């Protein structure tokens, strides 16, 4: 019997993967396969809560898979799949809709943010999004869900819904824990350190596949601070721009804030910013090269997502059958 603990996470292919996705999530997924049974997916069903261009969505879903592999997720050791290929997500999603309260969904920060940004398309899916996310998670009975800080609230709601269900029907779901990294959990925009790095502000966002010269230009233009101190010191409250760059540098080099302060003591931002840019470029270079190579092999990608969906469907099907039985559906 497999005694390994289970890890699961997903990313929406609604835009190109960026440094926030990498440091907040993917970086903490790689190299876990010896210790955990790992499931990672492209959350394509979630993306249509906001209008998508179909051709772009298809292309980005495959690019995301190539980038997952290039980031170190070996498909032989990790189950990599496309969410819409495993119908159990939609099926359990519906059931969980009926065990999640209107008030709970109304409190979700992502719903409030996205409905403010898409005022002409506040659809039902956007509102019930966390029920589908809870289904994504609970189907695989994971112990840990490695995500950035902004997804913590959704994982906590998942726990509440699972506990509610278990309370009624007995032990059906394992209660998962969010796994949030110490550095990189919340990367802020390079041009707007008060809001999280996101594809919607491209000039402040570093994409995984971006050219080195473009990455360096973005770091050189990064907002530091309006103070006249010009000193690399970790003070998120008064120096959010510098703190964000330090967070990025710490996440890619593994150095502590004290070590970074010592390294740049007396140097000013003029040397610090390009050094962070350089460290990021060197981290992303092998990923970009490998992802480009893998993307050229469509047959390989197809074999990966097909066998991923097969394995995922098997595991998800077991949980779904149990849930259907508990709620009183006649067995197929
Ligand atoms: P998504 O697609 O917005 O983001 C994917 C992952 O990247 C992290 N992240 C960040 N981390 C640090 N700094 C940032 N600026 C930053 N931006 C994004 C997110 O926290 C996330 O871990 N609902 C999810 C996708 C999802 C999912 C799931 C995740 C669907 N089903 C089941 C886990 C388990 C989302 O929209 O993430």
């Amino acid at each position: 019997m497999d005694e390994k603990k289970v890890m699961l996470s997903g990313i929406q292919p609604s835009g190109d993967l960026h440094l926030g996705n990498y440091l907040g999530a993917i970086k903490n997924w790689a190299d876990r396969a010896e210790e955990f049974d790992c499931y990672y997916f492209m959350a394509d069903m979630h993306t249509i809560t906001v209008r998508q261009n179909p051709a772009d969505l298809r292309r980005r879903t495959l690019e995301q898979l190539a980038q997952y592999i290039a980031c170190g997720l070996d498909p032989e050791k990790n189950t990599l799949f496309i969410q819409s290929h495993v119908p159990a997500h939609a099926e359990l999603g519906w059931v969980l809709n009926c065990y999640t309260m209107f008030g709970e969904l109304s409190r979700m920060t992502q719903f409030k943010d996205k409905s403010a940004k898409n005022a002409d398309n506040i659809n039902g899916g956007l509102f019930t999004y966390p029920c589908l996310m809870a289904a994504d998670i609970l189907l695989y009975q994971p112990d840990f869900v490695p995500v950035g800080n902004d997804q913590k609230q959704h994982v906590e709601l998942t726990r509440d819904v699972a506990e509610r269900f278990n309370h009624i029907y007995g032990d059906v779901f394992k209660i998962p824990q969010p796994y949030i990294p110490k550095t990189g959990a919340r990367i802020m925009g390079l041009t707007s350190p008060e809001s999280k790095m996101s594809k919607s502000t491209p000039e402040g966002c570093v994409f995984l596949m971006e050219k080195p010269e473009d990455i360096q230009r973005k770091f050189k233009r990064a907002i530091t601070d309006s103070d006249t101190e010009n000193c690399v010191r970790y003070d998120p409250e008064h120096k959010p721009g510098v703190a964000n760059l330090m967070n990025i540098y710490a996440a890619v080099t593994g150095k502590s804030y004290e070590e970074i302060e010592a390294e740049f003591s007396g140097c000013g931002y003029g040397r610090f910013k390009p050094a962070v840019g350089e460290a990021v470029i060197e981290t992303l270079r092998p990923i970009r090269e490998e992802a480009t190579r893998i993307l050229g092999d469509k047959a390989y990608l197809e074999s990966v997502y097909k066998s991923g969906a097969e394995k995922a469907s098997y595991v998800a099907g077991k949980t779904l059958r149990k849930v259907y039985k508990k709620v009183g559906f006649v067995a197929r």
Side-chain angles (χ1 to χ4, degrees):
M1 211 178 94
D2 196 353
E3 293 287 323
K4 274 185 180 176
K5 292 204 171 197
V6 177
M7 208 172 228
L8 166 133
S9 200
I11 298 183
Q12 299 190 61
S14 51
D16 295 330
L17 289 179
H18 58 71
L19 192 62
N21 299 137
Y22 179 69
L23 296 178
I26 310 176
K27 183 168 177 278
N28 311 295
W29 306 354
D31 301 325
R32 301 296 178 133
E34 301 303 330
E35 201 184 338
F36 296 96
D37 191 10
C38 297
Y39 298 83
Y40 302 114
F41 62 97
M42 278 57 74
D44 58 345
M45 291 166 71
H46 278 99
T47 68
I48 62 165
T49 52
V50 173
R51 203 72 74 226
Q52 301 292 326
N53 172 307
D56 287 348
L57 177 58
R58 247 187 298 278
R59 175 182 52 76
R60 278 196 308 259
T61 304
L62 294 182
E63 284 174 0
Q64 190 170 308
L65 175 60
Q67 289 168 39
Y68 277 6
I69 301 169
C71 285
L73 301 177
D74 179 350
E76 300 286 325
K77 298 182 181 156
N78 300 268
T79 305
L80 308 180
F81 66 99
I82 299 173
Q83 184 188 28
S84 62
H85 290 185
V86 183
H89 289 244
E91 295 170 295
L92 182 62
W94 169 252
V95 175
L96 297 182
N97 258 288
C98 305
Y99 294 81
T100 310
M101 300 302 132
F102 184 89
E104 288 175 313
L105 293 170
S106 313
R107 284 193 287 278
M108 294 295 111
T109 311
Q110 186 166 310
F111 171 69
K112 290 188 216 163
D113 286 353
K114 286 203 175 173
S115 39
K117 283 186 192 145
N118 301 281
D120 56 344
N121 185 21
I122 307 178
N123 58 73
L126 196 63
F127 188 63
T128 60
Y129 177 115
C131 303
L132 180 59
M133 178 157 164
D136 298 338
I137 297 172
L138 298 175
L139 280 171
Y140 301 89
Q141 311 278 3
D143 297 272
F144 298 106
V145 182
V147 284
N149 208 36
D150 62 327
Q151 292 300 317
K152 193 168 166 227
Q153 194 185 32
H154 286 159
V155 181
E156 279 164 359
L157 178 62
T158 300
R159 289 166 58 91
D160 292 345
V161 174
E163 272 164 7
R164 180 173 305 139
F165 197 92
N166 284 355
H167 186 69
I168 306 171
Y169 300 107
D171 269 350
V172 177
F173 298 124
K174 184 176 273 179
I175 308 300
Q177 278 185 47
Y179 176 87
I180 315 269
K182 285 201 180 68
T183 52
R186 192 168 170 78
I187 301 297
M188 311 310 276
L190 297 185
T191 49
S192 52
E194 68 289 345
S195 50
K196 72 172 180 180
M197 180 177 281
S198 116
K199 59 175 190 301
S200 54
T201 318
E203 59 292 359
C205 181
V206 173
F207 296 97
L208 259 52
M209 298 300 278
E210 224 168 348
K211 289 204 235 64
E213 55 273 27
D214 293 338
I215 298 180
Q216 190 54 279
R217 185 174 39 80
K218 287 181 177 175
F219 275 100
K220 284 187 178 157
R221 286 189 194 158
I223 303 257
T224 33
D225 297 288
S226 49
D227 65 14
T228 49
E229 197 184 33
N230 195 21
C231 157
V232 178
R233 188 164 55 76
Y234 191 72
D235 181 357
E237 200 187 323
H238 301 104
K239 296 158 75 77
V242 172
N244 185 40
L245 292 172
M246 289 179 78
N247 189 14
I248 294 173
Y249 195 65
V252 294
T253 62
K255 291 178 185 169
S256 67
Y257 294 138
E258 294 75 43
E259 285 170 322
I260 299 170
E261 284 170 2
E263 184 178 345
F264 293 97
S265 137
C267 293
Y269 305 144
R271 246 201 66 205
F272 177 55
K273 291 201 282 186
V276 181
E278 205 46 46
V280 169
I281 287 168
E282 288 319 312
T283 303
L284 299 186
R285 188 188 303 281
I287 297 174
R288 191 184 69 244
E289 289 172 358
E290 182 64 358
T292 308
R293 190 188 66 73
I294 297 169
L295 252 186
D297 192 347
K298 294 282 183 299
Y300 169 67
L301 283 176
E302 189 179 325
S303 73
V304 169
Y305 68 66
K306 278 191 170 165
S307 64
E310 216 171 287
K311 163 106 193 276
S313 295
Y314 175 77
V315 177
K318 281 207 281 194
T319 305
L320 187 70
R321 279 194 294 280
K322 204 167 171 187
V323 169
Y324 273 15
K325 189 172 174 193
K326 292 285 187 187
V327 299
F329 295 165
V330 174
R332 250 178 251 184

